[in-house]
Every structure is written in C-alpha cells, then in structure tokens.
C-alpha cells in the first residue's frame, strides 16, 4: 500500500540522501589513501594500488540502482538498534554505524524469508518503490499483526514487470523464499537448479556467487570463481549483474573459451558431434595416451666416475608398472620416473658403502642413460598431435576404440582428408574439447573454488567433463531447463549430467514459480512440453497480464511487412523489443526492417532508450529476455533444427522470452503441437 503522508516518505528520502553521502565519503576515504611509504617494494605497491582501485570501483554509487530497497523493523533484537535498511552493499556513517546492511548479511535474511506464519521476530517489513532513481513510494507488512491479511506486494510486482532496457538486472529486491534458500546454500556443496522459463534460475545462480563471495571472500579470493555461459551474447547480457552488487572479480567464459587451445575453423555434422561429445571418448583418449608407455627390455647402466651402476630390466619393469598402476597423470608420472630410477641407483651406492644425498639423486636422474630410458618407456605426449592422429589414422583409432565405439561411429570420427599438422587442421569445437580432455590426462587442469554453469542442459558429456575439471576441488552451481535442451546431445537427466560433471552428490532443486513470463504466454508455450519433455512440470506463472498474447495469421507475400508492423506496434510500448526468427529468416527480415526505417541491434549489443529493437536468430535467443517479443513463423523455427524434438524445444525457448507481451506472426500453419 503506497502512503500519501509526505512525512514518512520525506524521512526515508532523507535517509537515502544521507546514505549516498556516507557512501561517497567511504569512497573518498579510499581514494585519499597514501601508500607511498607503506610497501616494501614496487611489486607490493602495484598490487596494493590495484586493490585500492578495485575497492573504489566497488564503492561506486550507481545512479540507476537504488542504494536500498527495503527495511526491517525487529521486535526483540539483541543487535544494536532495531531498524535495518536492506540494500546492495554495506554503507556506514563516519563513526562506523551501519546505514545500509548488505542483503547477504545474516540479519537481512528475514527480509526474504519472513512470513505471517513465520515472522522471525520481524514487526514490520517495508518495501520501497523507485521511479527514475527517486524514492517515490513504500509498502508496509506488519508480519506480527494477526489482523493484517497477507497480500501480494504491488511494488514487488511492479519491480518484476519494470521495462527492461540495457543488460540484465539483478533481482536482489525481488528474491523469493525458495530462491533465497538456493542463493544462501553453502560453499561446500554443489547445487543443480532446474527451472523453467522466467523462474529466475540465472539470476539465482549469479546471486549465489555474490553471496558466496560475501560469506567466503578470503577463500574464493585465493581459489577463484567463474561463470560459464552458452555464448558471448548471453555473457554480455548478464555481465552487469555482479558489478551492480559490488562484485568485480568474477570471470566469465563460454565452454569454447575454456578449451580454446586450438583455433576452431571447422564444423561437424550433428551425428559426428554427438559421437565426439560422448563420454566413451574419454576412455578412448585414456587408452591412446597410455599406449605410448612401453616396458623396458634392457638393463640400465649408469656411469659415475670410475664406477658403473647396473639396474636390471626386471627392476625397471617394476618401477614403470608401479607408476602405471597408480594411474596418476601421464606427465606427472613421466616426471617421477627418472627420480624412481635414480633412487634405485642410489640404493646400490649405499649398499656399496657410499653416502649419496639428494643432489646426487638429482644428478643421476639427469644422467644421459636415465633420460634415454625415460624417453623410450614414457615418451612425451602432445595432446593436439594425439587427437590429430586419432581423427586421421583409422588403425590407431580402431585399436583404442575397440569395444567402445562401433565401426560406424569410428567412421563418423575420421576426417575424409587427414590434416598434415596441428596448425593446418580444421579443428571443430568438439575437437577442442577432446584436446582439453587429452591435456588433462597429461597434466592436471587447475581447479577453481566455485563455478557457475548456465544453460547446462545443452552440454555434451565431454563438455560436462571439461567444466567439471575446473572445479574438481571446488563446488558448482548448475543452472538449466531440460525442456530447453536444443542440441542433439542435450542431456536427458540431471543425474546423468552431474555424473559426467563429477558431482553426482549434488542437490537438485526445482523452481516452478514463474515471475517473468505472463501466465497466458507460458500456458501457450507449455502446450509443447508433453511432446518434447514428457513428465517435466510446467511453470506456474504468478503474473496475470490479459492481452499479453496475440497470434496473427497472414499471407506469405505480406509476412515480412506484417512482422515489421508488429515490431512498430511493440515499439509504442516502453521497454525492449525482441524480433525472434529462424536463422534462415534473419536476412530478409533485416532488409524489411531497414526498408521500413526501423533501426535494430544484434544480440549482445546493449539496448538503449533510443535503440530498443533487437533482431534475434532463434539459435541465440536462449537466456535473453525482452519486454515485448515478436515471433516470426514458428514452423520455420522448428524446421531449422535437425529433428522435431530439438525444433520444438527451440520454439519453446523463443515463445518464452517475453516479459510483458508476445505477438506471433505466421503464414505457414502453426506446428500441430501448439493446437493441442
């Protein structure tokens, strides 16, 4: 309920102004730090200077981002004071008293979790409404008052429905209890979030990173965090969420970025990509790597001065076999082998009455004869050359794929014309993942403290393994929707995916309450679920927006013009507009928009107040959202995929990108599944 009494609102505005002034003072204090005589050397000075720069950035007062969005008045708190303003970052006054509490602090949790049934000692919860950065309204809930009825917050609803221009916004002011439980889950465990369109799974994952950085900052500062998204457009769309929460150190990448050891210049047919992405390829590669190991057949003779030290072949054999049985990384074993052999030589020296030390062992390990044995028994393996040989040599592939891949699958893997070298090979994205796997077999991949993987349903088993390698000693947040799996290798279940990721113990949470897509739109899109993802629960939208869905039939010769007209209508509304079409339809629609004088952006380009229309190929629509969407020719979206199930899933994605309204324009008959 908005309050018209100007005095309480004026007091809240005064607190906002005072908080902004306090934040400005905090930033000025950091900027004024003099580190001239603090550090011992220039390296420390540079590091400290960079830390100060980052701190100044983190204390920026973003004009479009309200400094606080809520207030909690406790009934019986032992905290100093009973009133807390909840915001995106901590702000204190000149004497250190808090003026705004970080939303991640324990004292802030009741703002999201308290209810009439469980008030958690909260007497009053106040939500603030902002217009163009100005505090204009508030609503109060008296959680401990049994006479006050529970009701949906109009300010909360307005914040969810606020027009979207620019990158993705944080949802910190609108986090729901079920989302908050996931956000605040501990660092030690991996969480998988299954969520349909509009359930906020991406935002929940990003906010979990922000929470973990708050609760475990020192540990994650050492080990690192990473957000993995499906493509660059998506990463550009979400990249401002964490900075808005004061977190600047989280790196972002695609899976292709992670495995980018070679230049990708080729593409695979779908059937070939499916085999290359199959988890069985990991064993094929393991066999191929270990095939380079040979057991010694000759004894070793090490000459030192006038003495000769002989290690028989059977003992060398035992050393090599022992390293093989340990199943450690190929490269680590290769580094250990000369030291093991040198130790055997030192044992003989000690038996002869000598007293060799570690320096002698290192010298023996570098002996020419020892190095020759290592090169013969455990030669170096270059991952790129290994994969090059597997894909170009039928006999080598057959030897290591025996019992794993059928002859037909092996034929799919082999290049029609083998490449001559690593540099001339036209590597595909799937090849790069195989090389990354081979590289990990040779040398362990560095593990991070926490990894967020979004749109995870589209990864192949080998891609899951690639991401899993980056968090073997850390945890992960896995985000996705099985119904939106639009690759031929899309995962069938989260249990299977988590197994490939190396996190089978992960907790799977399901978000079914939709906050973004209007009820009428999600109900229409959900007609596809029984035909592409049977058994998956439909999203229940909490939003009613009558008139949000329009389906228009037109003629083929006027289709482009009618689509352009629908875009012009949408532009009459506030907010962003997305024109989504099958990839093959992008070029003619671009011409039609240009001819009509409608400027448009490409996915990844940031919308502004002056440029709000984006032309989106259906293959890049996943994860994006627009206030109004015009969907061109649904049948063409389905037909643009290699099979009907994938096509229906691609259409499901396209149908669920709208926040306020969806207009479908078609000349060809709609897919029958939409008529059911």
């Amino acid at each position: 309920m908005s309050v018209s009494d100007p005095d309480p609102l004026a007091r809240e505005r005064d607190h906002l102004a005072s908080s902004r002034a306090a934040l400005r003072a905090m930033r000025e204090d950091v900027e004024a730090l003099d580190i001239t005589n603090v550090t011992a050397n220039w390296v420390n000075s540079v590091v400290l200077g960079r830390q100060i720069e980052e701190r100044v950035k983190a204390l920026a007062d973003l004009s479009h981002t309200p400094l606080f969005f809520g207030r909690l008045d406790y009934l019986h708190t032992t905290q100093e004071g009973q009133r807390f303003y909840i915001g995106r970052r901590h702000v204190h006054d000149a004497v250190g008293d808090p003026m705004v509490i970080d939303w991640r602090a324990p004292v802030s949790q009741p703002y999201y979790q308290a209810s009439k049934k469980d008030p958690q000692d909260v007497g009053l919860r106040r939500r603030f409404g902002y217009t163009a950065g100005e505090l204009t309204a508030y609503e109060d809930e008296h959680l401990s008052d049994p006479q006050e009825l529970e009701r949906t917050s109009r300010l909360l609803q307005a914040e969810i429905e606020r027009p979207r221009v620019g990158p993705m916004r944080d949802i910190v002011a609108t986090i729901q209890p079920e989302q908050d439980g996931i956000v605040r889950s501990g660092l030690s465990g991996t969480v998988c979030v299954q969520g349909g369109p509009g359930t906020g799974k991406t935002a929940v994952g990003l906010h979990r990173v922000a929470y973990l950085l708050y609760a475990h900052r020192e540990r994650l500062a050492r080990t690192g965090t990473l957000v993995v998204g499906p493509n660059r457009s998506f990463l550009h769309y979400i990249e401002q969420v964490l900075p808005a929460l004061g977190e600047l150190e989280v790196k972002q990448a695609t899976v292709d970025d992670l495995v980018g050891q070679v230049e990708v210049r080729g593409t695979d047919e779908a059937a070939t990509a499916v085999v290359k992405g199959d988890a069985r390829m990991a064993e094929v590669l393991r066999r191929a790597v270990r095939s380079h190991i040979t057991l010694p057949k000759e004894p070793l003779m090490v000459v030192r001065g006038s003495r000769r030290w002989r290690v028989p072949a059977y003992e060398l054999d035992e050393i090599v076999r022992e390293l093989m049985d340990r199943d450690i990384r190929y490269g680590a074993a290769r580094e250990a082998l000369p030291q093991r052999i040198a130790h055997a030589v030192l044992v003989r020296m000690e038996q002869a009455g000598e007293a060799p030390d570690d320096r002698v062992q290192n010298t023996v390990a570098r002996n020419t004869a020892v190095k020759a044995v290592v090169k013969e028994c455990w030669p170096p393996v270059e991952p790129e050359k290994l994969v090059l040989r597997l894909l170009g040599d039928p006999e080598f592939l057959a030897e290591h794929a025996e019992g794993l891949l059928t002859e037909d699958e092996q034929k799919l893997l082999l290049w029609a014309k083998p490449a001559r070298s690593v540099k001339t090979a036209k590597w595909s994205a799937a090849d790069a993942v195989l090389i990354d796997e081979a590289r990990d077999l040779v040398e362990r991949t560095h593990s991070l403290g926490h990894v967020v993987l979004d749109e995870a349903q589209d990864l192949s088993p080998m891609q899951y393994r690639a991401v899993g390698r980056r968090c073997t000693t850390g945890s992960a947040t896995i985000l996705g929707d099985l119904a939106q799996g639009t690759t031929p290798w899309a995962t069938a279940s989260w249990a299977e995916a988590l197994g490939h990721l190396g996190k089978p113990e992960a907790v799977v949470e399901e978000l079914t309450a939709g906050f973004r897509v209007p009820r009428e739109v999600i109900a229409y899109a959900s007609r596809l679920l029984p035909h592409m993802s049977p058994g998956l629960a439909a999203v229940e939208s909490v939003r009613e927006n009558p008139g949000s869905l329009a389906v228009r039939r037109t003629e083929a010769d006027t289709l482009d013009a009618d689509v352009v007209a629908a875009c012009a209508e949408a532009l009459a509304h506030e907010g962003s507009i997305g024109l989504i079409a099958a990839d093959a339809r992008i070029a003619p629609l671009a011409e039609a928009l240009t001819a009509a004088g409608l400027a448009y952006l490409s996915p990844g380009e940031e919308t502004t107040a002056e440029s709000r229309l984006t032309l989106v190929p259906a293959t890049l629509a996943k994860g994006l959202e627009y206030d109004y969407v015009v969907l061109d020719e649904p049948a063409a979206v389905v037909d643009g995929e290699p099979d009907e199930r994938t096509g229906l899933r691609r259409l499901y994605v396209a149908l669920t990108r709208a926040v306020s309204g969806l207009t479908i324009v078609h000349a060809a008959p709609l897919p029958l599944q939409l008529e059911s």
Side-chain angles (χ1 to χ4, degrees):
M1 177 177 66
S2 298
V3 177
S4 56
D5 178 5
D7 291 335
L9 198 57
R11 284 195 292 271
E12 300 293 16
R13 287 171 175 162
D14 287 344
H15 187 77
L16 176 60
S18 299
S19 299
R20 288 197 184 282
L23 179 61
R24 186 164 57 251
M26 290 170 63
R27 188 170 62 253
E28 290 171 352
D29 286 345
V30 176
E31 290 172 333
L33 288 174
D34 184 0
I35 61 172
T36 306
N37 299 314
V38 174
T39 57
N41 55 57
W42 70 269
V43 175
N44 290 342
S45 177
V46 170
V47 171
L48 184 56
R50 187 175 297 119
Q51 291 175 342
I52 289 174
E53 288 178 8
E54 295 299 322
R55 178 61 176 160
V56 170
K57 290 179 183 177
L59 290 171
D61 187 1
L62 306 177
S63 59
H64 61 281
T65 305
L67 198 54
F68 57 78
F69 46 81
R71 194 184 96 187
L72 288 177
D73 290 8
Y74 282 95
L75 294 174
H76 312 96
T77 180
T78 58
Q79 306 274 353
E80 184 180 344
Q82 294 182 311
R83 176 174 297 173
F84 300 95
Y85 287 84
I86 313 301
R88 287 168 171 78
R89 71 192 70 226
H90 175 84
V91 179
H92 59 254
D93 61 18
V95 296
D97 291 334
M99 301 190 69
V100 179
I101 300 293
D102 194 301
W103 66 276
R104 297 166 288 187
V107 75
S108 301
Q109 188 167 1
Y111 182 79
Y112 303 104
Q113 294 285 349
S115 64
K116 284 282 188 180
K117 293 181 180 178
D118 181 21
Q120 299 186 26
D121 199 41
V122 174
L124 178 143
R125 174 167 55 200
R126 175 168 289 180
R127 300 182 190 275
F128 295 104
Y130 288 82
T131 303
E134 294 296 321
L135 199 164
T136 55
Y138 68 85
E139 288 177 338
D140 286 345
E141 294 175 86
H142 297 87
L143 298 181
S144 301
D145 182 357
Q147 304 301 316
E148 184 178 280
L149 298 177
E150 197 163 8
R151 61 186 181 275
T152 302
S153 165
R154 286 191 297 161
L155 289 183
L156 183 66
Q157 191 82 359
E159 174 62 22
I160 292 172
E161 297 176 2
R162 183 160 56 92
R164 286 154 167 75
V165 174
M168 179 181 178
R169 295 199 306 265
D170 64 71
I171 61 164
V172 65
T174 62
I175 292 174
Q176 300 300 296
E178 63 272 23
Q179 296 172 325
D180 187 65
I182 297 170
V183 167
R184 295 177 193 267
S185 55
L187 176 61
S188 59
T190 290
V191 178
C192 176
V193 183
Q194 158 64 38
T199 55
K201 57 185 177 296
T202 295
V204 165
L206 295 175
H207 285 67
R208 185 176 183 222
V209 172
Y211 172 76
L212 292 176
L213 284 168
Y214 175 88
H216 308 277
R217 188 166 301 281
E218 288 188 9
R219 178 176 170 183
L220 288 176
R222 293 193 307 270
T223 56
T225 52
L226 174 69
V227 174
V228 181
N231 52 58
R232 281 280 147 203
S233 298
F234 178 82
L235 291 178
H236 183 75
Y237 178 62
I238 68 170
E239 68 183 357
Q240 292 304 315
V241 173
L242 289 168
L245 300 172
E247 300 299 343
L248 306 169
E249 294 301 312
V250 182
K251 292 182 173 58
Q252 298 182 349
T254 65
V255 174
D256 291 345
D257 294 332
L258 295 184
V259 301
Q261 301 292 333
V262 293
E263 182 183 359
V264 173
R265 297 187 294 128
T267 56
D268 290 317
E269 295 292 333
T272 298
V274 168
V275 178
K276 288 181 178 179
D278 194 289
R280 292 172 294 168
M281 289 301 300
E283 177 59 20
V284 173
L285 289 163
R286 192 191 73 84
R287 291 179 183 179
V289 168
R290 292 175 68 84
S291 71
H292 291 75
I293 305 170
T294 57
L295 296 173
K297 297 180 177 58
E298 301 292 334
L300 166 70
M301 188 70 70
V302 175
V303 179
R304 280 182 56 80
S306 61
R307 302 294 299 270
R308 292 171 178 262
W309 308 100
R310 183 178 183 273
V311 182
Y314 76 85
E315 190 170 342
L316 294 174
D317 183 287
E318 290 175 356
I319 292 172
V320 172
R321 288 183 184 276
E322 192 270 335
L323 285 172
M324 291 174 64
D325 291 342
R326 288 185 61 191
D327 201 27
I328 59 178
R329 293 299 194 281
Y330 185 93
R334 187 174 187 276
E335 291 178 2
L337 181 55
Q339 291 291 335
R340 298 295 177 88
I341 295 173
H343 178 72
V345 174
L346 260 66
V347 169
R348 283 159 174 75
M349 291 180 178
E350 291 170 348
Q351 290 171 344
E354 295 190 15
D357 56 19
D358 289 345
R359 290 175 296 176
V360 175
Q361 178 166 327
N362 290 333
T363 300
V364 173
R366 295 194 297 270
N367 182 275
T368 302
V370 173
K371 290 197 289 187
V373 171
V374 173
K375 184 176 180 180
E376 178 67 26
C377 297
W378 214 294
V381 171
E382 296 182 34
E384 294 88 348
K385 289 184 177 179
L386 179 81
V387 175
L388 186 78
R389 187 178 176 191
L390 275 174
L391 301 180
D393 185 339
E395 292 182 2
F396 187 67
L397 176 62
E399 177 185 354
H400 303 300
E402 183 179 358
L404 293 171
L405 303 178
T406 66
E407 289 186 9
D408 288 341
E409 287 174 325
Q410 292 177 39
K411 289 178 182 177
L412 286 172
L413 291 179
L414 290 166
W415 284 328
K417 184 180 179 182
R420 292 184 178 181
S421 69
V422 169
K423 289 186 177 181
T424 60
K426 290 188 176 180
W427 299 108
S428 68
D431 295 336
V433 178
L434 296 179
I435 292 171
D436 190 71
E437 178 84 26
R439 187 174 299 280
D440 185 69
L441 289 167
V442 175
E443 182 179 325
R444 184 181 297 277
T445 304
H446 174 68
S447 175
L448 298 165
H450 193 78
V451 172
V452 174
L453 174 61
D454 206 352
E455 300 297 347
Q457 72 281 343
D458 274 337
L459 269 60
S460 70
M462 292 298 286
Q463 287 176 316
Y464 280 120
R465 290 175 63 86
V467 175
R469 283 192 284 279
R470 271 75 186 179
C471 55
T472 50
T473 59
S475 56
T477 302
I478 314 303
L479 312 166
D481 179 11
L482 296 178
Q484 295 185 60
T486 51
T487 56
W489 49 83
T491 189
S493 73
W494 289 123
E496 177 185 318
L498 292 167
H500 295 312
L501 194 76
K503 305 290 184 183
E505 76 291 345
V507 175
V508 179
E509 302 279 2
E510 187 169 8
L511 296 175
T512 57
F515 303 97
R516 175 173 55 80
V517 185
R519 187 174 299 176
E520 194 175 357
V521 173
I522 196 65
Y524 185 76
S526 295
R527 295 179 183 181
L528 300 175
L529 284 177
H531 306 282
M532 63 185 197
S533 298
L536 202 63
V539 172
E540 293 291 333
S541 177
V542 300
R543 297 178 53 211
E544 288 192 37
N545 196 355
S548 57
L549 174 67
V551 182
R552 300 176 184 175
R553 179 71 184 264
T554 186
E555 301 300 324
D557 56 353
T558 62
L559 176 61
D560 292 357
D562 290 337
V563 169
V564 170
C567 291
E569 288 179 29
L571 285 166
H573 298 284
E574 277 190 276
S576 57
I577 315 298
L579 169 54
I580 303 177
D583 290 32
R585 288 275 298 148
I586 293 298
L589 289 174
E591 291 182 12
L593 290 172
T594 300
L598 290 183
Y600 62 89
L601 304 168
S602 297
E605 295 182 303
E606 192 170 313
T607 54
T608 65
E610 294 74 31
S611 190
R612 299 185 289 119
L613 173 62
T614 303
L615 178 56
V616 187
T619 53
L620 295 181
K622 191 171 298 179
L624 306 180
E625 60 184 29
Y626 301 93
D627 289 290
Y628 292 88
V629 168
V630 176
L631 176 58
D632 168 84
E633 204 63 279
V637 174
V638 177
D639 293 342
E641 300 298 329
D643 58 82
E644 185 181 66
R645 189 191 75 160
T646 305
L648 292 175
R649 288 182 169 186
R650 185 75 70 189
L651 178 59
Y652 181 73
V653 171
L655 287 167
T656 54
R657 300 303 95 201
V659 176
S660 295
L662 170 66
T663 300
I664 300 171
V665 184
H666 68 103
L670 292 171
L672 293 176
Q673 293 84 350
L674 282 177
E675 303 293 346
S676 59

